[in-house]
Amino acid sequence: MNQTERRLIAFIAAAHALTHITELSYAVLLTRIQDDFGTRDVIMGALATVFGWTFGSSAIPAGFLTDRLGSRRVLVYAFAGSSVMAVLVGLSPNAWVLAATLAGLGLTIGLYHPAGLSAVAQGVSQRGIGLGFHGVAGNLGQALAPAIALGLAIAVDWRAGFFCIAGLSALLAIILSRAHLPVHGDSEVLSAEAVAEPPAQEEAATITNRLLTPLLLTYGAFVVGGIVYRGVITYLPKHLEEMVSQDFGGVFVTVALVMGAVGQLLGGWLSQGMRLERIAPVIAAAAVPALILTAMLSGALLVIASSAFVFFYFANQPVFTGLIADYTPPGAVGRSYGVSFFAGFGIGSLGGVIAGALVDTWDTEAAFWGLSVFMALVVGLSFALWALAERRRRDVNLATAVGSAP
Protein backbone atom coordinates (compact mmCIF):
# COMPACT_ATOMS: atom_id res chain seq x y z
CA MET A 1 0.00 0.00 0.00
CA ASN A 2 1.18 3.51 -0.74
CA GLN A 3 0.90 6.53 1.57
CA THR A 4 -2.37 7.71 0.01
CA GLU A 5 -3.98 4.30 0.60
CA ARG A 6 -2.76 4.16 4.20
CA ARG A 7 -4.15 7.65 4.81
CA LEU A 8 -7.47 6.63 3.30
CA ILE A 9 -7.67 3.55 5.54
CA ALA A 10 -6.82 5.64 8.62
CA PHE A 11 -9.70 8.08 8.03
CA ILE A 12 -12.18 5.34 7.14
CA ALA A 13 -11.07 3.20 10.10
CA ALA A 14 -11.70 6.08 12.53
CA ALA A 15 -15.14 6.59 11.01
CA HIS A 16 -15.95 2.88 11.18
CA ALA A 17 -14.88 2.65 14.82
CA LEU A 18 -17.11 5.56 15.82
CA THR A 19 -20.01 4.11 13.81
CA HIS A 20 -19.93 0.93 15.87
CA ILE A 21 -19.36 2.75 19.15
CA THR A 22 -22.60 4.54 18.34
CA GLU A 23 -24.37 1.38 17.23
CA LEU A 24 -23.47 -0.74 20.27
CA SER A 25 -24.05 1.90 22.94
CA TYR A 26 -27.79 1.21 23.16
CA ALA A 27 -27.22 -2.53 23.67
CA VAL A 28 -24.56 -1.87 26.32
CA LEU A 29 -26.83 0.56 28.17
CA LEU A 30 -30.01 -1.49 27.62
CA THR A 31 -30.31 -2.71 31.22
CA ARG A 32 -29.87 0.78 32.66
CA ILE A 33 -32.30 2.35 30.18
CA GLN A 34 -34.80 -0.43 30.97
CA ASP A 35 -34.48 0.25 34.70
CA ASP A 36 -34.94 3.98 34.08
CA PHE A 37 -38.05 3.65 31.90
CA GLY A 38 -39.48 0.43 33.41
CA THR A 39 -40.11 -1.30 30.06
CA ARG A 40 -40.35 -5.02 29.18
CA ASP A 41 -37.66 -7.03 27.37
CA VAL A 42 -39.72 -7.31 24.19
CA ILE A 43 -40.09 -3.50 24.09
CA MET A 44 -36.34 -3.05 24.54
CA GLY A 45 -35.78 -5.54 21.70
CA ALA A 46 -38.28 -3.63 19.55
CA LEU A 47 -36.35 -0.40 20.19
CA ALA A 48 -33.19 -2.19 19.02
CA THR A 49 -35.10 -3.23 15.89
CA VAL A 50 -36.24 0.36 15.27
CA PHE A 51 -32.66 1.55 15.45
CA GLY A 52 -31.42 -1.36 13.34
CA TRP A 53 -34.12 -0.88 10.70
CA THR A 54 -33.31 2.79 10.20
CA PHE A 55 -29.58 2.05 10.44
CA GLY A 56 -29.97 -0.33 7.51
CA SER A 57 -32.64 1.58 5.57
CA SER A 58 -30.50 4.66 5.05
CA ALA A 59 -27.83 2.47 3.45
CA ILE A 60 -29.70 2.41 0.12
CA PRO A 61 -29.84 6.21 -0.38
CA ALA A 62 -26.31 6.36 1.01
CA GLY A 63 -25.16 4.02 -1.76
CA PHE A 64 -26.66 6.23 -4.48
CA LEU A 65 -25.19 9.34 -2.84
CA THR A 66 -21.78 7.68 -2.61
CA ASP A 67 -21.71 6.84 -6.32
CA ARG A 68 -22.74 10.39 -7.16
CA LEU A 69 -21.01 12.59 -4.55
CA GLY A 70 -18.12 10.45 -3.32
CA SER A 71 -17.50 8.77 0.01
CA ARG A 72 -16.06 11.71 1.93
CA ARG A 73 -19.06 14.02 1.50
CA VAL A 74 -21.47 11.28 2.55
CA LEU A 75 -19.36 10.61 5.65
CA VAL A 76 -19.50 14.28 6.61
CA TYR A 77 -23.30 14.20 6.36
CA ALA A 78 -23.42 10.98 8.41
CA PHE A 79 -21.43 12.24 11.37
CA ALA A 80 -22.83 15.78 11.39
CA GLY A 81 -26.34 14.31 11.52
CA SER A 82 -25.50 11.70 14.15
CA SER A 83 -23.98 14.34 16.43
CA VAL A 84 -27.37 16.10 16.56
CA MET A 85 -29.38 12.90 16.97
CA ALA A 86 -27.14 11.51 19.73
CA VAL A 87 -27.87 14.62 21.80
CA LEU A 88 -31.61 14.06 21.30
CA VAL A 89 -31.29 10.40 22.34
CA GLY A 90 -29.61 11.52 25.55
CA LEU A 91 -32.46 13.97 26.23
CA SER A 92 -35.25 11.38 25.68
CA PRO A 93 -37.72 11.43 28.63
CA ASN A 94 -39.48 8.11 27.88
CA ALA A 95 -39.45 5.02 25.67
CA TRP A 96 -41.68 6.60 22.98
CA VAL A 97 -39.37 9.57 22.47
CA LEU A 98 -36.37 7.25 22.70
CA ALA A 99 -37.80 5.17 19.82
CA ALA A 100 -38.08 8.29 17.64
CA THR A 101 -34.61 9.60 18.48
CA LEU A 102 -32.97 6.19 18.06
CA ALA A 103 -34.65 6.01 14.65
CA GLY A 104 -33.11 9.37 13.72
CA LEU A 105 -29.70 8.27 15.00
CA GLY A 106 -29.95 5.09 12.93
CA LEU A 107 -30.86 7.05 9.78
CA THR A 108 -27.86 9.34 10.08
CA ILE A 109 -25.14 6.93 11.22
CA GLY A 110 -26.50 4.36 8.75
CA LEU A 111 -25.12 6.47 5.91
CA TYR A 112 -21.65 5.24 6.85
CA HIS A 113 -21.25 1.68 5.51
CA PRO A 114 -21.82 2.13 1.75
CA ALA A 115 -19.54 5.16 1.78
CA GLY A 116 -16.79 3.65 3.91
CA LEU A 117 -16.74 0.24 2.25
CA SER A 118 -16.91 1.71 -1.25
CA ALA A 119 -13.87 3.85 -0.48
CA VAL A 120 -11.82 0.89 0.76
CA ALA A 121 -12.97 -1.57 -1.92
CA GLN A 122 -12.16 0.84 -4.77
CA GLY A 123 -9.35 2.94 -3.30
CA VAL A 124 -7.00 0.26 -1.92
CA SER A 125 -5.00 -2.05 -4.18
CA GLN A 126 -4.78 -4.87 -1.59
CA ARG A 127 -8.54 -5.01 -1.09
CA GLY A 128 -8.68 -8.01 1.27
CA ILE A 129 -6.13 -6.51 3.65
CA GLY A 130 -7.86 -3.12 3.46
CA LEU A 131 -11.25 -4.62 4.26
CA GLY A 132 -9.65 -6.58 7.10
CA PHE A 133 -8.24 -3.41 8.70
CA HIS A 134 -11.59 -1.70 8.11
CA GLY A 135 -13.31 -4.51 9.99
CA VAL A 136 -10.78 -4.44 12.81
CA ALA A 137 -11.56 -0.77 13.39
CA GLY A 138 -15.27 -1.57 13.61
CA ASN A 139 -14.67 -4.32 16.15
CA LEU A 140 -12.38 -2.11 18.20
CA GLY A 141 -15.12 0.50 18.20
CA GLN A 142 -17.57 -2.11 19.45
CA ALA A 143 -15.02 -3.19 22.07
CA LEU A 144 -14.57 0.41 23.24
CA ALA A 145 -18.32 1.02 23.44
CA PRO A 146 -18.83 -0.82 26.76
CA ALA A 147 -15.90 0.98 28.37
CA ILE A 148 -17.06 4.41 27.18
CA ALA A 149 -20.79 3.96 27.69
CA LEU A 150 -20.67 2.01 30.96
CA GLY A 151 -17.90 4.18 32.36
CA LEU A 152 -19.92 7.33 31.78
CA ALA A 153 -23.13 5.61 32.99
CA ILE A 154 -21.46 4.64 36.26
CA ALA A 155 -19.83 8.05 36.71
CA VAL A 156 -22.80 10.17 35.61
CA ASP A 157 -25.82 8.61 33.88
CA TRP A 158 -26.60 6.50 30.80
CA ARG A 159 -27.42 9.70 28.92
CA ALA A 160 -23.82 10.92 29.25
CA GLY A 161 -22.67 8.15 26.91
CA PHE A 162 -24.78 9.54 24.07
CA PHE A 163 -23.61 13.10 24.74
CA CYS A 164 -20.01 11.84 24.43
CA ILE A 165 -20.87 10.19 21.09
CA ALA A 166 -22.36 13.47 19.89
CA GLY A 167 -19.12 15.31 20.63
CA LEU A 168 -16.94 12.71 18.90
CA SER A 169 -19.23 12.67 15.85
CA ALA A 170 -19.12 16.46 15.52
CA LEU A 171 -15.32 16.43 15.75
CA LEU A 172 -14.99 13.74 13.07
CA ALA A 173 -17.42 15.55 10.76
CA ILE A 174 -15.26 18.67 10.98
CA ILE A 175 -12.04 16.72 10.29
CA LEU A 176 -13.54 14.90 7.29
CA SER A 177 -14.93 18.13 5.85
CA ARG A 178 -11.34 19.35 5.49
CA ALA A 179 -9.81 16.08 4.24
CA HIS A 180 -9.24 14.75 0.70
CA LEU A 181 -9.93 11.03 0.18
CA PRO A 182 -9.14 10.01 -3.42
CA VAL A 183 -10.48 6.55 -4.31
CA HIS A 184 -10.14 6.73 -8.14
CA GLY A 185 -6.69 8.06 -8.91
CA ASP A 186 -6.75 11.61 -7.58
CA SER A 187 -10.55 11.84 -7.72
CA GLU A 188 -13.10 11.17 -4.97
CA VAL A 189 -15.69 9.87 -7.49
CA LEU A 190 -15.58 7.43 -10.40
CA SER A 191 -15.39 9.08 -13.82
CA ALA A 192 -18.12 8.58 -16.42
CA GLU A 193 -15.56 6.95 -18.73
CA ALA A 194 -14.69 4.32 -16.12
CA VAL A 195 -18.36 3.55 -15.57
CA ALA A 196 -18.97 3.22 -19.30
CA GLU A 197 -16.12 0.76 -19.83
CA PRO A 198 -16.34 -2.29 -17.55
CA PRO A 199 -13.28 -4.52 -17.25
CA ALA A 200 -12.99 -6.95 -20.16
CA GLN A 201 -13.06 -10.06 -17.97
CA GLU A 202 -16.46 -9.05 -16.62
CA GLU A 203 -18.13 -8.27 -19.95
CA ALA A 204 -19.35 -11.79 -20.70
CA ALA A 205 -20.67 -12.27 -17.18
CA THR A 206 -22.44 -8.93 -17.33
CA ILE A 207 -24.12 -9.72 -20.66
CA THR A 208 -25.44 -13.10 -19.55
CA ASN A 209 -26.27 -12.00 -15.98
CA ARG A 210 -24.14 -14.88 -14.72
CA LEU A 211 -23.35 -12.97 -11.52
CA LEU A 212 -26.93 -11.97 -10.68
CA THR A 213 -27.79 -15.20 -8.85
CA PRO A 214 -24.66 -15.23 -6.64
CA LEU A 215 -25.18 -11.53 -5.90
CA LEU A 216 -28.74 -12.22 -4.75
CA LEU A 217 -27.52 -15.16 -2.65
CA THR A 218 -24.93 -12.87 -1.07
CA TYR A 219 -27.66 -10.35 -0.25
CA GLY A 220 -29.62 -13.24 1.28
CA ALA A 221 -26.64 -14.16 3.45
CA PHE A 222 -26.47 -10.53 4.59
CA VAL A 223 -30.15 -10.68 5.65
CA VAL A 224 -29.86 -13.92 7.63
CA GLY A 225 -26.45 -13.02 9.04
CA GLY A 226 -27.85 -9.61 9.99
CA ILE A 227 -30.60 -11.27 12.03
CA VAL A 228 -27.93 -13.20 13.91
CA TYR A 229 -25.80 -10.07 14.35
CA ARG A 230 -28.60 -7.86 15.68
CA GLY A 231 -29.83 -10.52 18.09
CA VAL A 232 -26.37 -11.30 19.41
CA ILE A 233 -25.17 -7.71 19.66
CA THR A 234 -28.35 -6.68 21.52
CA TYR A 235 -28.54 -9.51 24.04
CA LEU A 236 -24.96 -10.73 24.51
CA PRO A 237 -24.30 -8.02 27.15
CA LYS A 238 -27.44 -9.05 29.08
CA HIS A 239 -26.63 -12.76 28.64
CA LEU A 240 -23.14 -12.29 30.05
CA GLU A 241 -24.45 -10.15 32.91
CA GLU A 242 -26.89 -12.92 33.87
CA MET A 243 -24.65 -15.94 33.28
CA VAL A 244 -21.19 -14.63 34.15
CA SER A 245 -21.15 -11.41 36.17
CA GLN A 246 -23.72 -8.69 36.81
CA ASP A 247 -21.02 -6.08 37.32
CA PHE A 248 -18.51 -7.13 34.67
CA GLY A 249 -20.68 -8.48 31.85
CA GLY A 250 -19.79 -5.46 29.71
CA VAL A 251 -16.09 -6.15 30.20
CA PHE A 252 -16.51 -9.68 28.88
CA VAL A 253 -18.38 -8.32 25.86
CA THR A 254 -15.28 -6.24 25.17
CA VAL A 255 -13.13 -9.39 25.33
CA ALA A 256 -15.40 -11.12 22.81
CA LEU A 257 -15.39 -8.18 20.44
CA VAL A 258 -11.60 -7.93 20.53
CA MET A 259 -11.59 -11.50 19.25
CA GLY A 260 -13.82 -10.26 16.44
CA ALA A 261 -11.07 -7.84 15.44
CA VAL A 262 -8.60 -10.75 15.26
CA GLY A 263 -11.13 -12.61 13.11
CA GLN A 264 -11.40 -9.65 10.73
CA LEU A 265 -7.61 -9.70 10.23
CA LEU A 266 -7.63 -13.43 9.53
CA GLY A 267 -10.53 -13.12 7.08
CA GLY A 268 -8.85 -10.23 5.28
CA TRP A 269 -5.55 -12.12 5.04
CA LEU A 270 -7.22 -15.31 3.76
CA SER A 271 -9.26 -13.39 1.18
CA GLN A 272 -6.09 -12.00 -0.38
CA GLY A 273 -4.85 -15.39 -1.51
CA MET A 274 -7.86 -17.72 -1.67
CA ARG A 275 -11.16 -17.87 -3.57
CA LEU A 276 -13.76 -16.12 -1.44
CA GLU A 277 -16.51 -18.61 -2.26
CA ARG A 278 -14.37 -21.43 -0.83
CA ILE A 279 -13.62 -19.61 2.41
CA ALA A 280 -17.15 -18.44 3.26
CA PRO A 281 -18.85 -21.80 4.02
CA VAL A 282 -15.92 -23.09 6.10
CA ILE A 283 -15.86 -20.04 8.37
CA ALA A 284 -19.67 -19.90 8.64
CA ALA A 285 -19.82 -23.59 9.58
CA ALA A 286 -17.27 -23.04 12.36
CA ALA A 287 -19.46 -20.29 13.87
CA VAL A 288 -22.53 -22.52 14.40
CA PRO A 289 -21.23 -24.79 17.21
CA ALA A 290 -19.70 -21.77 18.95
CA LEU A 291 -23.11 -20.05 18.98
CA ILE A 292 -24.81 -23.21 20.27
CA LEU A 293 -22.26 -23.41 23.09
CA THR A 294 -22.96 -19.75 23.87
CA ALA A 295 -26.56 -20.79 24.58
CA MET A 296 -25.53 -23.80 26.70
CA LEU A 297 -22.63 -22.66 28.87
CA SER A 298 -22.09 -20.27 31.77
CA GLY A 299 -19.17 -18.69 33.58
CA ALA A 300 -15.70 -18.64 32.04
CA LEU A 301 -16.64 -21.24 29.41
CA LEU A 302 -19.40 -18.94 28.17
CA VAL A 303 -16.89 -16.13 27.69
CA ILE A 304 -14.69 -18.49 25.65
CA ALA A 305 -17.60 -19.78 23.55
CA SER A 306 -19.01 -16.32 22.82
CA SER A 307 -15.53 -15.05 21.93
CA ALA A 308 -15.10 -17.99 19.52
CA PHE A 309 -18.44 -17.22 17.86
CA VAL A 310 -17.59 -13.54 17.47
CA PHE A 311 -14.19 -14.51 16.05
CA PHE A 312 -15.67 -16.72 13.34
CA TYR A 313 -18.63 -14.47 12.60
CA PHE A 314 -16.46 -11.44 11.94
CA ALA A 315 -13.79 -13.44 10.10
CA ASN A 316 -16.37 -13.83 7.32
CA GLN A 317 -17.07 -10.09 7.00
CA PRO A 318 -14.11 -9.23 4.71
CA VAL A 319 -15.05 -12.30 2.67
CA PHE A 320 -18.69 -11.32 2.09
CA THR A 321 -17.94 -7.63 1.55
CA GLY A 322 -15.34 -8.69 -1.01
CA LEU A 323 -17.93 -10.85 -2.78
CA ILE A 324 -20.23 -7.83 -3.13
CA ALA A 325 -17.46 -5.94 -4.93
CA ASP A 326 -16.68 -8.97 -7.12
CA TYR A 327 -20.30 -9.42 -8.24
CA THR A 328 -21.06 -5.70 -8.84
CA PRO A 329 -20.24 -3.73 -12.05
CA PRO A 330 -18.11 -0.55 -11.85
CA GLY A 331 -20.05 2.58 -11.04
CA ALA A 332 -22.59 0.68 -8.91
CA VAL A 333 -20.41 -0.49 -6.02
CA GLY A 334 -21.77 2.13 -3.61
CA ARG A 335 -25.36 1.22 -4.48
CA SER A 336 -24.64 -2.49 -4.13
CA TYR A 337 -23.13 -1.96 -0.70
CA GLY A 338 -26.21 0.12 0.11
CA VAL A 339 -28.48 -2.81 -0.77
CA SER A 340 -26.32 -5.29 1.12
CA PHE A 341 -26.27 -3.22 4.29
CA PHE A 342 -29.98 -2.54 4.04
CA ALA A 343 -30.31 -6.32 3.89
CA GLY A 344 -27.98 -6.88 6.83
CA PHE A 345 -28.76 -3.97 9.12
CA GLY A 346 -32.28 -3.10 7.93
CA ILE A 347 -34.12 -6.37 7.32
CA GLY A 348 -31.61 -8.11 9.59
CA SER A 349 -32.65 -5.82 12.45
CA LEU A 350 -35.59 -8.17 12.95
CA GLY A 351 -33.09 -10.15 14.97
CA GLY A 352 -33.58 -7.68 17.81
CA VAL A 353 -37.30 -8.29 18.16
CA ILE A 354 -36.96 -12.04 17.47
CA ALA A 355 -34.36 -12.41 20.21
CA GLY A 356 -36.34 -10.05 22.47
CA ALA A 357 -39.47 -12.17 22.09
CA LEU A 358 -37.50 -15.33 22.97
CA VAL A 359 -36.02 -13.62 26.03
CA ASP A 360 -39.42 -12.31 27.09
CA THR A 361 -41.01 -15.76 26.71
CA TRP A 362 -38.15 -17.86 28.09
CA ASP A 363 -34.66 -16.47 28.73
CA THR A 364 -31.45 -15.33 27.03
CA GLU A 365 -30.33 -18.92 26.46
CA ALA A 366 -33.43 -19.47 24.31
CA ALA A 367 -32.52 -16.42 22.23
CA PHE A 368 -29.11 -17.85 21.36
CA TRP A 369 -30.59 -21.25 20.52
CA GLY A 370 -32.96 -19.52 18.12
CA LEU A 371 -30.18 -17.45 16.55
CA SER A 372 -28.18 -20.66 15.96
CA VAL A 373 -30.86 -21.77 13.47
CA PHE A 374 -30.38 -18.58 11.45
CA MET A 375 -26.60 -19.05 11.52
CA ALA A 376 -27.08 -22.53 10.04
CA LEU A 377 -29.00 -20.91 7.16
CA VAL A 378 -25.97 -18.71 6.47
CA VAL A 379 -23.93 -21.89 6.11
CA GLY A 380 -26.40 -23.21 3.53
CA LEU A 381 -26.28 -20.00 1.50
CA SER A 382 -22.47 -20.01 1.64
CA PHE A 383 -22.32 -23.54 0.25
CA ALA A 384 -24.70 -22.50 -2.54
CA LEU A 385 -22.31 -19.64 -3.46
CA TRP A 386 -19.41 -22.09 -3.51
CA ALA A 387 -21.31 -24.51 -5.76
CA LEU A 388 -22.21 -21.74 -8.22
CA ALA A 389 -18.61 -20.50 -8.30
CA GLU A 390 -17.32 -24.00 -9.04
CA ARG A 391 -19.84 -24.39 -11.87
CA ARG A 392 -18.81 -21.02 -13.36
CA ARG A 393 -15.17 -22.04 -13.17
CA ARG A 394 -15.85 -25.34 -14.95
CA ASP A 395 -17.88 -23.56 -17.64
CA VAL A 396 -15.06 -21.05 -18.22
CA ASN A 397 -12.47 -23.84 -18.43
CA LEU A 398 -14.66 -25.74 -20.88
CA ALA A 399 -15.22 -22.65 -23.03
CA THR A 400 -11.48 -21.94 -23.03
CA ALA A 401 -10.69 -25.51 -24.05
CA VAL A 402 -13.26 -25.42 -26.86
CA GLY A 403 -12.02 -22.04 -28.07
CA SER A 404 -8.40 -23.18 -28.20
CA ALA A 405 -9.19 -26.45 -29.98
CA PRO A 406 -8.00 -26.60 -33.65
Side-chain angles (χ1 to χ4, degrees):
M1 294 184 190
N2 58 38
Q3 184 175 356
T4 299
E5 292 176 337
R6 290 194 294 270
R7 183 170 175 271
L8 171 67
I9 290 176
F11 276 112
I12 300 300
H16 195 205
L18 183 53
T19 296
H20 285 293
I21 289 174
T22 304
E23 181 210 8
L24 192 59
S25 290
Y26 170 74
V28 170
L29 297 170
L30 184 147
T31 301
R32 286 168 172 78
I33 298 172
Q34 186 174 19
D35 291 342
D36 190 7
F37 292 157
T39 51
R40 296 168 54 198
D41 282 306
V42 69
I43 300 299
M44 300 305 291
L47 290 177
T49 297
V50 167
F51 173 82
W53 180 260
T54 55
F55 185 54
S57 297
S58 61
I60 291 180
F64 281 91
L65 288 172
T66 298
D67 289 334
R68 184 175 181 83
L69 304 177
S71 295
R72 183 188 62 82
R73 290 176 64 182
V74 175
L75 294 176
V76 172
Y77 301 151
F79 290 103
S82 64
S83 67
V84 175
M85 295 311 306
V87 170
L88 296 179
V89 170
L91 294 175
S92 299
N94 55 53
W96 291 104
V97 176
L98 181 62
T101 55
L102 280 175
L105 183 60
L107 283 171
T108 52
I109 201 64
L111 297 172
Y112 167 76
H113 276 100
L117 281 168
S118 180
V120 175
Q122 298 179 94
V124 178
S125 56
Q126 294 179 295
R127 189 186 67 190
I129 299 297
L131 290 173
F133 280 121
H134 173 269
V136 167
N139 280 100
L140 292 179
Q142 289 175 323
L144 286 171
I148 295 172
L150 286 177
L152 289 170
I154 293 170
V156 186
D157 183 66
W158 66 263
R159 302 171 190 275
F162 287 100
F163 295 147
C164 178
I165 287 169
L168 293 173
S169 296
L171 178 62
L172 186 55
I174 293 170
I175 292 173
L176 287 171
S177 69
R178 299 171 178 272
H180 178 60
L181 301 180
V183 296
H184 306 287
D186 195 45
S187 174
E188 293 189 337
V189 294
L190 191 63
S191 68
E193 292 78 10
V195 174
E197 298 179 5
Q201 63 266 29
E202 294 184 5
E203 288 179 355
T206 301
I207 294 172
T208 59
N209 288 324
R210 292 286 301 278
L211 298 183
L212 178 60
T213 299
L215 181 61
L216 293 175
L217 284 173
T218 307
Y219 289 155
F222 268 81
V223 171
V224 183
I227 289 173
V228 176
Y229 173 80
R230 182 57 54 193
V232 169
I233 214 70
T234 302
Y235 283 101
L236 184 59
K238 183 179 180 70
H239 187 52
L240 291 176
E241 286 173 359
E242 292 179 354
M243 305 301 293
V244 182
S245 170
Q246 179 68 36
D247 295 326
F248 297 103
V251 175
F252 294 124
V253 173
T254 296
V255 172
L257 291 171
V258 168
M259 289 305 299
V262 178
Q264 294 268 15
L265 282 177
L266 175 65
W269 177 73
L270 289 174
S271 65
Q272 274 298 120
M274 299 177 67
R275 293 180 63 86
L276 302 185
E277 293 89 350
R278 291 181 179 177
I279 306 170
V282 176
I283 298 176
V288 175
L291 188 54
I292 292 173
L293 290 173
T294 299
M296 295 174 60
L297 300 175
S298 62
L301 291 177
L302 171 57
V303 176
I304 295 171
S306 60
S307 297
F309 167 73
V310 171
F311 172 84
F312 287 118
Y313 180 89
F314 283 104
N316 240 354
Q317 278 207 347
V319 177
F320 276 99
T321 51
L323 286 172
I324 292 293
D326 284 345
Y327 297 150
T328 304
V333 174
R335 278 165 281 178
S336 191
Y337 277 126
V339 172
S340 67
F341 278 90
F342 168 72
F345 289 117
I347 302 173
S349 67
L350 290 170
V353 73
I354 291 171
L358 292 170
V359 172
D360 208 39
T361 305
W362 291 285
D363 49 29
T364 54
E365 294 100 307
F368 286 92
W369 276 109
L371 293 170
S372 299
V373 175
F374 288 98
M375 194 64 219
L377 292 176
V378 176
V379 177
L381 290 168
S382 300
F383 273 109
L385 282 169
W386 171 78
L388 285 173
E390 290 300 304
R391 188 172 71 181
R392 287 197 309 275
R393 185 175 63 82
R394 287 194 299 269
D395 290 346
V396 169
N397 289 341
L398 179 60
T400 302
V402 170
S404 60

